[in-house]
Amino acid sequence: MDLLEPTRQAFALLFSGDRELWGIIWLSLWVSVAALALLAPLCVPLGFVVARIHFPGRRALVVAMQGFLSFPTVVVGLVLYLVLSRRGPLGAFELLFTPAAILIGYMVIALPILMVFTVAAVQGADSRIYETARCLGARPLRAMGTTLWEVRFAVTAGFVNAFGRVVSEVGCALLVGGNIAGLTRNIPTAIALETSKGEFAYGIALGFVLMVIAVGVNVALAWLQGEGGLE
Amino acid sequence: MIKRIVFALATLLCAATAQAQTVRMATTTSTANTGLLDYLLPKFRSRTGITVQYVAVGTGAALKIGEQGDADVVLVHDRESEEKFVAAGFGVKRRDVMYNDFVIVGAPADPAQIRGMKDAAEALKRIRAAGSAFVSRGDRSGTHLRELQLWRAAGVEPRWEGYYLSIGQGMGTALIMAYEKRGYTLTDRGTYLAYLKKTDLQIMVEGDSRLNNPYSVIAVNPSRHPSINHAGATRLIDWLTSDEGQRAIAGYKVGGAQLFFPSAK
């Protein structure tokens, strides 16, 4: 199998601004980012609460969340498929095979990751931060903000991790998105199916973009963390 | 140490003989999704002891796999690309095996009003004009290529934003998506019947001569890929086109309906 020729074609495709190719890349990016943006206001405070407050079942919740970290995304896709199908409980919304279905899937996949990272970050923080903030007259919400700000690097690492997982997963996006050209075809599903068609150039181009995104996000994180990331 | 080497050699030998008893086939999703292969291949195995491993992809991909020597034999359905495949020297011993036909199926509400039409191209024109959802395999399979021929015959560019859904996947997925989107699709009758219980789609257009769907089996050219199991491929082709194989094909029924009709000459 010749590897060079498809690679050359891949770069030609990328730099010629192939509309379909860039549309696929755009879909992957916006759905991943939107999933995380929608989850953030829910998961971060919730993670803080779970880390700080003792309530019955808390330990079971944390263990369950950690278990979900390694939950196969294709199973998330399967369950969601059954729920969203016209014959499923949420069938009336006709969401199966739409970008919204992928978005929901990504949220389900990312939720435990964000939770677990936030919980670990807050638990790892010096509990005196919160107490000091309270003593200085901060309301609980403000004190929570202070604590989260102190552990922002660890929380951000959760987002980077979650982003990496959703942007590269293929099982859920393929099942509930359906790989429809121009509608729900994203980078991983396109790579999987273009390769099965023998369209290697497309796969290589998209694989390259996926790697650039992954490395780029991590470099951005390191830059954001600055000196703090090294401590 | 010696024991270990003997064991390793024995393992290798077993693997090698197992190899000789295996034929790799690249085929279309329709032969797999209908359940035909899982019915047919055990019969071949009990006759010859040869196990057939198959990958079910579109005709285009199946031919590509054969071209690269990653399969010993292909079972496909697109005359034009089959002829090119043989002419280019990638395949030998092409034989007709069976046929069925394509049908245009759609949601029972029939938004484009094509039920009962006899002209498949006209029906597609109407689907386009009504702006209804149409699911396309979009995977260069035999079905996809036929669909494109019909669009050409209709003089319509098969692209309309949000409703011409090109999915790059198998026939079963396409049918389910047509059901979910309350739209239409072109399918081989066999897969449609095999999926009858999974969708509410109904046959809208059938009987147009442009909807005939013949399948052929082709051996991958052994002079290009000396390592392939050509002997096994030949035995599979001989069996499929034999009286016994042809009877077996005719005997395969789903819900009482025969899905494929023998055509070996």
Side-chain angles (χ1 to χ4, degrees), chain B residues 128-165:
Chain B
R128 172 68 185 92
S132 305
F134 185 93
V135 179
S136 166
R137 292 279 298 277
D139 61 351
R140 266 176 244 155
S141 58
T143 310
H144 180 216
L145 295 173
R146 183 64 59 93
E147 179 211 314
L148 293 179
Q149 285 165 15
L150 288 171
W151 285 115
R152 270 199 300 278
V156 172
E157 178 78 10
R159 263 177 195 275
W160 62 100
E161 205 63 26
Y163 291 93
Y164 182 77
L165 307 171

Side-chain angles (χ1 to χ4, degrees), chain B residues 19-32:
Chain B
Q19 195 75 37
Q21 296 305 318
T22 305
V23 171
R24 297 166 308 160
M25 177 161 79
T27 183
T28 74
T29 62
S30 50
T31 53

Side-chain angles (χ1 to χ4, degrees), chain A residues 85-86 94 97 178 181 199, chain B residues 140 166 169 179-182:
Chain A
S85 156
R86 264 175 61 198
E94 305 208 0
F97 307 131
E199 288 287 333
Chain B
R140 266 176 244 155
S166 173
Q169 294 183 77
Y179 159 73
E180 290 286 343
K181 299 282 188 188
R182 299 175 203 273

Side-chain angles (χ1 to χ4, degrees), chain B residues 38-100:
Chain B
D38 292 333
Y39 156 87
L40 218 50
L41 297 177
K43 289 183 190 293
F44 174 65
R45 186 180 178 175
S46 64
R47 191 62 156 166
T48 60
I50 298 174
T51 307
V52 180
Q53 299 168 341
Y54 63 85
V55 278
V57 288
T59 288
L63 291 173
K64 195 103 184 174
I65 289 170
E67 183 182 321
Q68 287 167 0
D70 293 325
D72 306 314
V73 62
V74 295
L75 175 61
V76 292
H77 62 133
D78 180 60
R79 274 295 135 89
E80 208 176 305
S81 31
E82 286 163 24
E83 274 157 16
K84 273 191 208 144
F85 185 75
V86 174
F90 298 130
V92 293
K93 300 183 186 166
R94 188 182 86 134
R95 295 286 305 273
D96 288 336
V97 177
M98 59 195 185
Y99 68 91
N100 63 8

Side-chain angles (χ1 to χ4, degrees), chain A residues 122-141:
Chain A
V122 173
Q123 280 179 335
D126 195 330
S127 62
R128 280 172 302 187
I129 300 170
Y130 182 80
E131 286 150 16
T132 309
R134 290 286 283 144
C135 281
L136 291 174
R139 292 169 195 280
L141 214 59

Side-chain angles (χ1 to χ4, degrees), chain B residues 201-231:
Chain B
L201 299 173
Q202 296 173 350
I203 291 179
M204 297 291 162
V205 178
E206 59 187 326
D208 187 323
S209 65
R210 287 171 293 190
L211 295 176
N212 292 340
N213 180 26
Y215 288 76
S216 317
V217 63
I218 312 173
V220 173
N221 191 344
S223 58
R224 263 178 190 272
H225 304 283
S227 63
I228 64 169
N229 182 3
H230 185 62

